[in-house]
Amino acid sequence: MDTSPTATVPGYPMPRAAGCPFDPPPAVEELRAAPLAKVRIWDGSTPWLITRHADQRALLNDPRVSIDDRRPGFPHVTAHRAGRAHSTPRMVTNTDAPDHTRLRRMVTGPFLVKRVEAMRPAVQGIVDRVIDDMLAGPRPADLLTALALPVPSLVICALLGVPYRDHAFFHHNSSRALDRSLPPEEAEAAGQALIGYLDRLLREKLADPADDTLSDLGARVTAGEMSHDEAVHMGVALLIAGHETTATMISLGTLALLRDPGRLAALRERSEDPKAVAGAVEELLRYLTIVDSALRRVALADIEIGGATIRAGDGLLFDLAAANRDPDAFTGDPAALDPDRPARHHQAFGYGPHQCLGQSLARLELQVVYGTLYRRIPTLRLAVPFEEIEFLPDGITYGVRALPVTW
Amino acid sequence: MRVEIDEPKCVASGQCVVASPEVFDQRDEDGVVIVLDAAPAPALHDAVREAAAVCPAAAIRLVLE
């Protein structure tokens, strides 16, 4: 029985080690020695942290584990999100089966593997145009604003039917709505700005439907399958998830490769081999695990795991980076970036029924970018010393503030 | 090997289709899994096992005969 004073419960999130910006915090990796450990989060509560790959898979697929953030004991990510739990409509991100299954199947259409694959030529066209513009622009350039943000933003705007000219607005507010370091009222204002924006857009689509996902959501509202408010929140979730995460993978992945020139050269040489590029994408997803805030759930019943007991009402945090560095789950040295490693079973997109809805689209975008950028700009390099790159430890995703490059 | 699906669990991630397109497809309207070949040839077994392993909802069951 754990009788240690609460003061010894470590805080979470934990700091990364100086000079190891791509590695999970050492203290998190040490917790893999046991299946469960208590950690203390922002509100003083002490949920369990689950760090092992196999335990995460078992629990994230366990019907006794809930994502319903209105339940007592749910370990909220920020005060802002805790405050919003009871006013956010029921959606894919806060419901369990069977409600979740019904809601999710309403928005899976555009993300079918064959539909995403059919977008490959269009995504290649976007990536080529964005690289053309970057090459025609000044040197050095910020890869984040010149390429990493525009590519996924253009793709999700086309898919959703959001005007790309508004990208500065929605990117700014997405970042702020997810920033753990902001006062709750500022994050709330940013979230409300996005809700107001999608509300206006949805009304426009209802009046004048187009061939896009927001119009499809509008049609479901008209058919009585979902409320206007639910459609607006779904639109916000798709817009945020559709650009912020992929942009981070493009910039951080490029930085990791620029730091490892041998790996970058090997990937460049195999740019025309779709299997090699797809394998590199999976390994970079595993190695970087940019979702930096732990998945959050609450136990609905007592659950035995590895000789320990989770009690009904206990909060659960799943540190995805810890699972993706678990030596029991990956061959070789999980701390190394090795594009030849079988990594397809990584948990960078989470696991269980809530696993990333847009993962096929994210993979497509990353395959096209990683397969094109280094081939078209073989002399791409950092324009500042690596040590001057500023990382962002306070977001839902872990990225860089800017990525100055030249060629 | 026989492929069985627990359809209510399927969350239409499509990961089975990526792993084993010969055996799995997705329903057009909502992406729910369709089994194209419930008794796949041995040459496909590795890919089918990967499909079952990467299914985030553990909705694919493989019965060894």
Side-chain angles (χ1 to χ4, degrees):
Chain A
M1 199 177 135
D2 181 10
T3 53
S4 56
T6 51
T8 64
V9 174
Y12 186 92
M14 294 166 174
R16 293 179 193 245
C20 305
F22 301 125
D23 295 333
V28 169
E29 295 218 66
E30 283 165 19
L31 293 177
R32 268 199 316 263
L36 292 172
K38 286 258 178 185
V39 291
R40 182 175 306 281
I41 61 172
W42 62 275
D43 63 354
S45 66
T46 54
W48 297 105
L49 186 73
I50 293 98
T51 47
R52 293 176 179 176
H53 189 271
D55 294 341
Q56 291 194 358
R57 284 170 76 96
L59 288 169
L60 286 168
N61 239 333
D62 192 318
R64 296 170 294 178
V65 170
S66 172
I67 200 171
D68 182 352
D69 62 1
R70 296 180 190 181
R71 289 181 182 274
F74 188 92
H76 294 279
V77 62
T78 57
H80 164 228
R81 294 283 286 274
R84 283 201 57 78
H86 285 269
S87 56
T88 303
R90 308 273 76 187
M91 44 195 278
V92 287
T93 49
N94 58 17
T95 47
D96 301 315
D99 289 342
H100 169 259
T101 316
R102 181 179 56 80
L103 292 168
R104 179 154 169 141
R105 287 178 184 184
M106 284 190 198
V107 285
T108 41
F111 301 104
L112 258 64
V113 170
K114 57 195 156 199
R115 252 167 236 154
V116 167
E117 195 51 43
M119 292 171 68
R120 189 176 289 269
V123 171
Q124 183 70 57
I126 285 172
V127 170
D128 281 328
R129 276 199 306 283
V130 169
I131 293 175
D132 288 342
D133 289 349
M134 190 171 101
L135 288 171
R139 276 179 289 176
D142 174 16
L143 192 87
L144 187 63
T145 48
L147 183 129
L149 273 168
V151 166
S153 300
L154 284 159
V155 173
I156 197 66
C157 281
L159 190 136
L160 276 179
V162 169
Y164 179 71
R165 64 173 178 273
D166 296 334
H167 68 94
F169 163 81
F170 65 70
H171 173 62
H172 175 73
N173 285 292
S174 298
S175 303
R176 292 177 64 81
L178 301 177
D179 189 335
R180 289 193 294 256
S181 69
L182 278 188
E185 57 277 14
E186 287 186 35
E188 172 66 16
Q192 285 301 328
L194 288 170
I195 288 168
Y197 175 68
L198 263 295
D199 177 54
R200 282 193 301 280
L201 267 180
L202 185 64
R203 287 176 200 282
E204 287 171 26
K205 301 287 180 187
L206 281 164
D208 185 13
D211 182 18
D212 55 46
T213 299
L214 271 184
S215 298
D216 294 347
L217 289 174
R220 290 189 185 272
V221 173
T222 305
E225 292 174 32
M226 65 199 311
S227 72
H228 183 89
D229 199 27
E230 286 167 344
V232 167
H233 278 79
M234 193 67 221
V236 171
L238 291 173
L239 181 59
I240 293 179
H243 79 279
E244 185 89 27
T245 47
T246 310
T248 303
M249 269 306 297
I250 292 171
S251 50
L252 207 61
T254 298
L255 179 60
L257 287 166
L258 288 173
R259 224 194 168 191
D260 196 345
R263 299 275 184 218
L264 179 57
L267 176 59
R268 186 190 302 121
E269 280 159 25
R270 296 193 289 174
S271 292
E272 313 281 353
D273 175 356
K275 271 201 146 157
V277 173
V281 167
E282 299 308 323
E283 172 65 354
L284 281 159
L285 283 163
R286 179 199 72 82
Y287 178 73
L288 297 169
T289 314
I290 53 133
V291 172
D292 195 31
S293 61
L295 302 187
R296 280 141 206 273
R297 302 288 188 272
V298 61
L300 301 180
D302 292 357
I303 302 171
E304 301 285 333
I305 187 153
T309 304
I310 296 165
R311 296 287 175 201
D314 284 354
L316 304 174
L317 305 184
F318 297 84
D319 191 296
L320 299 176
N324 279 343
R325 299 290 183 104
D326 186 343
D328 289 340
F330 297 96
T331 55
D333 174 12
L337 173 64
D338 176 7
D340 293 322
R341 178 203 321 275
R344 190 65 176 69
H345 55 298
H346 65 72
Q347 277 156 210
F349 291 115
Y351 192 72
H354 298 279
Q355 192 184 49
C356 178
L357 177 65
Q359 60 182 297
S360 294
L361 182 60
R363 286 191 163 99
L364 168 66
E365 294 177 37
L366 295 175
Q367 288 165 8
V368 174
V369 168
Y370 295 158
T372 307
L373 175 63
Y374 319 124
R375 174 174 56 78
R376 286 202 53 196
I377 316 182
T379 58
L380 189 73
R381 61 184 188 275
L382 284 182
V384 296
F386 181 86
E387 292 66 31
E388 288 180 19
I389 301 291
E390 189 187 346
F391 293 86
L392 301 174
D394 292 321
I396 297 292
T397 60
Y398 174 75
V400 291
R401 187 169 306 281
L403 188 59
V405 293
T406 192
W407 54 88
Chain B
M1 176 190 281
R2 200 170 69 249
V3 180
E4 294 181 351
I5 298 296
D6 188 349
E7 197 193 286
K9 277 190 180 177
C10 176
V11 293
S13 78
Q15 295 317 294
C16 53
V17 183
V18 177
S20 179
E22 297 87 352
V23 175
F24 300 97
D25 197 359
Q26 288 177 285
R27 203 155 73 190
D28 274 344
E29 59 271 31
D30 58 10
V32 168
V33 63
I34 300 170
V35 177
L36 301 172
D37 182 356
L44 299 172
H45 286 189
D46 279 352
V48 172
R49 270 191 284 271
E50 189 190 332
V54 297
C55 174
I60 300 171
R61 203 159 75 96
L62 305 179
V63 183
L64 298 175
E65 294 171 325

